[in-house]
Amino acid sequence: MGKSERYLARVDGRILRALSHPLRVKILELLREDGPATASGLAKRVGESSGTTSWHLRQLAESGLIAEDTERGSRRDRWWKAVHEGDQMQARDFIDDPDLAGPFNAYAHTMIERRYAAEAQFVAEVRDWADEWIDKVSFHDSPLSLTPDEAAALSDEILDVIGRYRRPEKDGDTQVRVHWAAFPRKSRPETL
């Protein structure tokens, strides 16, 4: 398994169907960011019953996104862990497939909502962060004029840079969320 395969799940139809439910996306996000957890522990964090959470965990496990953490717990107390740190997908793999266009749309909207929620939470908690972080935080929105090939090259370069910073957690680290998106925008100039 290559380095990117270990860190990123290549989203196929099976994984996309698993990720088309917002609660499963939230559960997977918690396992990726906060580490292994039980169904009952996750249920408390997401405001659902442990039965509901268990069902969604089984769906994520069947898709290969999570696995039982056999180093923790017992038969009564099953722990789950994320298999990958993130997802990688190409919209073209799904948008022309009538069976996958709906799940793709649901997943894409959930991801946008999760990104917004994460950034909004940071802004709400900004006073809680030490001074050493305040001038290091960055939000960028940069309109560029690019060809499709240039946009793809830009994304590849940014993902390479992110990959250079990926390493096992060390003492003193703080988890940092990095969002990246490059997409076209229809020009809507004012008309007379």
Side-chain angles (χ1 to χ4, degrees), residues 40-108:
S40 58
L42 287 165
K44 291 175 188 168
R45 293 163 66 193
V46 299
E48 292 287 341
S49 72
S50 60
T52 298
T53 306
S54 292
W55 188 83
H56 286 294
L57 285 164
R58 286 192 302 275
Q59 301 303 305
L60 289 167
E62 286 176 18
S63 73
L65 289 166
I66 68 169
E68 189 171 350
D69 187 348
T70 56
E71 296 177 10
R72 300 172 194 256
S74 62
R75 287 183 69 185
R76 281 184 35 90
D77 193 26
R78 294 174 71 182
W79 286 73
W80 298 92
K81 65 182 178 181
V83 174
H84 303 94
E85 292 182 6
D87 306 312
Q88 185 175 24
M89 75 165 23
Q90 297 291 325
R92 85 178 121 214
D93 294 343
F94 310 109
I95 59 173
D96 292 329
D97 184 331
D99 293 331
L100 296 176
F104 171 76
N105 194 25
Y107 173 68

Side-chain angles (χ1 to χ4, degrees), residues 76-177:
R76 281 184 35 90
D77 193 26
R78 294 174 71 182
W79 286 73
W80 298 92
K81 65 182 178 181
V83 174
H84 303 94
E85 292 182 6
D87 306 312
Q88 185 175 24
M89 75 165 23
Q90 297 291 325
R92 85 178 121 214
D93 294 343
F94 310 109
I95 59 173
D96 292 329
D97 184 331
D99 293 331
L100 296 176
F104 171 76
N105 194 25
Y107 173 68
H109 279 92
T110 297
M111 292 309 299
I112 291 166
E113 290 166 4
R114 299 299 308 151
R115 285 180 175 188
Y116 169 78
E119 290 179 9
Q121 183 174 348
F122 171 78
V123 170
E125 297 170 347
V126 74
R127 291 185 178 269
D128 297 341
W129 287 95
D131 289 340
E132 67 183 297
W133 273 103
I134 295 305
D135 63 347
K136 307 295 189 294
V137 173
S138 180
F139 293 92
H140 291 277
D141 187 4
S142 303
L144 300 172
S145 295
L146 302 172
T147 66
D149 288 340
E150 289 172 327
L154 174 64
S155 289
D156 288 344
E157 286 181 46
I158 290 173
L159 291 174
D160 286 344
V161 170
I162 292 168
R164 288 197 312 262
Y165 282 87
R166 183 170 275 123
R167 60 170 171 67
E169 188 175 345
K170 298 187 299 191
D171 286 342
D173 280 353
T174 299
Q175 213 173 66
V176 174
R177 182 173 282 209

